[in-house]
Amino acid sequence: MINNEKEKTASLEKRYDNGTSARRLQPTKKRLPLIKICAALILSLGCAAEASAQSLPQKACRFHPGHYLALPGEDRPTTDMEKARKPDTPFKGVHKIYSWNALEPSPGHYDFSLIKADLASLRRRNKRLIVQVWTKTFHPERGPNHPTFLKGSPKPGGGYYSAVFRPERTGGYSLAFWDPAVAFQCRNLYKAIGKELSCDPNVSALEAVNLDETAWGNLKADEQALQDAGTMPYNREKFGQNMMLMFKGLNDSLPHTVAIQFINWPQDLVPYFVQQVFSMGGGIGGPDLHPDLNIPTYAHLPSLAGMVPLGFAVQWPDTYTPPRTGRPHNRADVIRTLRFAQQLKLNYVFWIQRSGYIEIVEEVLKDPSVVKQSDPAGGLVARYPLSVLPINSTVVNGPKPFPPGL
């Protein structure tokens, strides 16, 4: 733990709130070791999934489950959504990535014009938009998705910790979200997204907002990279809590929109992430839907089906067998991926728009021998989960306070 937690938190609030009055939730003075908590959570997840509508936080949301076209890359122009806007498409809308550095060009000044243009375009065609916010990237060929002005916490003796480092295994740029200053600035972005989009005249086209994956790198492989970058030393407990505080900031700022957290790694934190997002009534998903992968989140999904929204993305590497390095998928592979999504009881699948692949996906989804064409969710789970009510419903169980500490 950091000494003088309250004083340092107050100092960070003053420095990083960009004029807002947001208040960080204070951690408790005494915490249990996170590994013990995660072990307990694994045992208790089955019990948690038996929670009733009376105990699960609920939101009255727009809810249109089914298949969505996922655009590759970030900050793509509105015109790239054309395939999803055609009247005969099997896609309910578009899953599109927006980078933090484009959304916040200068500290505390946000630019959501591209999202708003996309909402207006899709609403005219009676289609929906799922916004994914990218704060990091594991692609060495791409530039950073974080703002260049981003700083970490003040260092003892002067200066600042770095907010960013280069993962050794994957390349790209990842963020030190265990640093409270980095997490606080990101949570401000998420809250601004919710506040701004909830008031947009085309908000009826906003289906969901999802945060990028919880993976950040690998402690053993990236130990030297963290030291070289000068980040705050990794702290598993602070990382876990900060990730959930950021998600709560988004979820609470979207009173009528589904919020989804992509969860995949670190493996020892997945049960904690799943349990905490579930306890907020939030959606759970991930970046890799592939029957041959062993993503830790998969095992939790069937027990959560019907409780919270569930959605996974078929990304570029997932269109090959083995993933990334194998042969391109054919029709049988696409059907196998669809059946896997049905096995996991997903509400949403986001299919990557890769030339030669997405055409097969469209063909499969339009085939009545594979998907019942009268099914509004295209073979996925169409019913409302317990945490989501129809948009005009009266909400009895609203958001709950975040547990103070792990």
Side-chain angles (χ1 to χ4, degrees):
M1 288 183 61
I2 297 176
N3 294 328
N4 301 319
E5 187 93 19
K6 292 184 177 180
E7 290 80 357
K8 294 200 174 187
T9 297
S11 175
L12 285 173
E13 289 278 8
K14 184 177 180 181
R15 184 169 188 86
Y16 295 111
D17 69 1
N18 295 318
T20 67
S21 58
R23 179 179 63 85
R24 287 186 75 250
L25 294 174
Q26 298 295 327
T28 54
K29 294 182 179 179
K30 187 175 182 180
R31 297 174 178 168
L32 293 173
L34 187 59
I35 192 67
K36 292 183 179 180
I37 294 173
C38 287
L41 287 172
I42 293 175
L43 297 175
S44 66
L45 263 175
C47 299
E50 298 176 359
S52 65
Q54 285 71 39
S55 61
L56 193 65
Q58 296 175 308
K59 291 198 292 186
C61 295
R62 296 166 293 277
F63 187 65
H64 303 88
H67 304 280
Y68 284 73
L69 179 71
L71 297 187
E74 56 271 41
D75 306 315
R76 299 289 291 269
T78 300
T79 52
D80 284 7
M81 303 189 302
E82 187 57 36
K83 183 180 286 290
R85 294 184 293 186
K86 294 179 179 179
D88 63 340
T89 180
F91 301 114
K92 290 291 186 73
V94 173
H95 179 271
K96 188 174 176 183
I97 296 166
Y98 304 84
S99 63
W100 184 359
N101 56 4
L103 296 175
E104 189 177 2
S106 60
H109 297 280
Y110 303 104
D111 181 0
F112 303 133
S113 57
L114 181 56
I115 301 179
K116 292 185 174 187
D118 292 342
L119 285 172
S121 176
L122 290 169
R123 186 190 177 198
R124 286 194 295 268
R125 307 291 183 89
N126 195 31
K127 297 294 181 179
R128 272 80 189 174
L129 177 67
I130 296 180
V131 171
Q132 180 174 5
V133 183
W134 265 14
T135 61
K136 53 187 180 285
T137 177
F138 298 118
H139 301 280
E141 70 278 7
R142 292 179 182 166
N145 285 321
H146 64 276
T148 56
F149 59 77
L150 194 62
K151 293 181 180 179
S153 296
K155 282 183 176 181
Y160 295 88
Y161 288 110
S162 173
V164 61
F165 69 99
R166 307 292 300 271
E168 189 68 29
R169 286 184 178 177
T170 61
Y173 300 82
S174 190
L175 298 182
F177 280 128
W178 50 89
D179 185 325
V182 180
F184 186 76
Q185 291 169 90
C186 192
R187 189 169 69 134
N188 278 348
L189 168 70
Y190 295 156
K191 292 168 69 175
I193 288 173
K195 180 179 179 180
E196 187 76 13
L197 297 188
S198 294
C199 299
D200 190 83
N202 298 299
V203 68
S204 60
L206 182 63
E207 176 70 12
V209 179
N210 89 259
L211 303 186
D212 57 0
E213 60 194 89
T214 53
W216 63 269
N218 181 280
L219 183 58
K220 182 177 291 186
D222 294 325
E223 185 175 5
Q224 188 60 50
L226 293 174
Q227 293 179 11
D228 293 344
T231 65
M232 178 180 286
Y234 177 67
N235 183 302
R236 183 188 285 114
E237 182 178 330
K238 290 182 182 297
F239 174 67
Q241 185 180 45
N242 287 348
M243 292 296 292
M244 294 297 94
L245 285 171
M246 291 188 294
F247 178 77
K248 180 171 174 58
L250 175 73
N251 190 47
D252 290 356
S253 69
L254 293 166
H256 300 296
T257 304
V258 170
I260 301 173
Q261 174 69 63
F262 274 7
I263 300 172
N264 51 356
W265 308 98
Q267 185 168 0
D268 63 339
L269 276 172
V270 166
Y272 170 73
F273 289 146
V274 169
Q275 176 64 26
Q276 291 302 317
V277 174
F278 172 84
S279 72
M280 300 180 216
I284 293 171
D288 292 299
L289 181 66
H290 195 296
D292 296 334
L293 288 175
N294 186 24
I295 306 297
T297 317
Y298 289 167
H300 301 289
L301 299 182
S303 65
L304 299 175
M307 310 296 286
V308 295
L310 303 176
F312 261 76
V314 180
Q315 295 191 330
W316 195 285
D318 308 320
T319 66
Y320 297 85
T321 295
R324 188 182 294 275
T325 60
R327 59 168 178 80
H329 277 187
N330 55 32
R331 174 183 169 86
D333 295 313
V334 171
I335 294 176
R336 184 168 174 248
T337 300
L338 173 61
R339 299 305 184 217
F340 184 53
Q342 293 170 330
Q343 176 186 335
L344 295 177
K345 301 181 182 179
L346 301 184
N347 303 107
Y348 300 104
V349 173
F350 317 128
W351 302 89
I352 188 70
Q353 184 176 279
R354 178 174 72 77
S355 179
Y357 173 78
I358 198 64
E359 291 79 10
I360 302 174
V361 173
E362 288 187 285
E363 177 189 324
V364 166
L365 295 180
K366 290 181 178 180
D367 187 341
S369 69
V370 179
V371 177
K372 187 177 181 180
Q373 297 303 292
S374 60
D375 185 344
L380 303 178
V381 178
R383 66 181 179 274
Y384 281 82
L386 291 178
S387 66
V388 177
L389 300 174
I391 189 65
N392 295 320
S393 301
T394 299
V395 176
V396 177
N397 298 324
K400 297 180 179 179
F402 187 80
L406 299 179

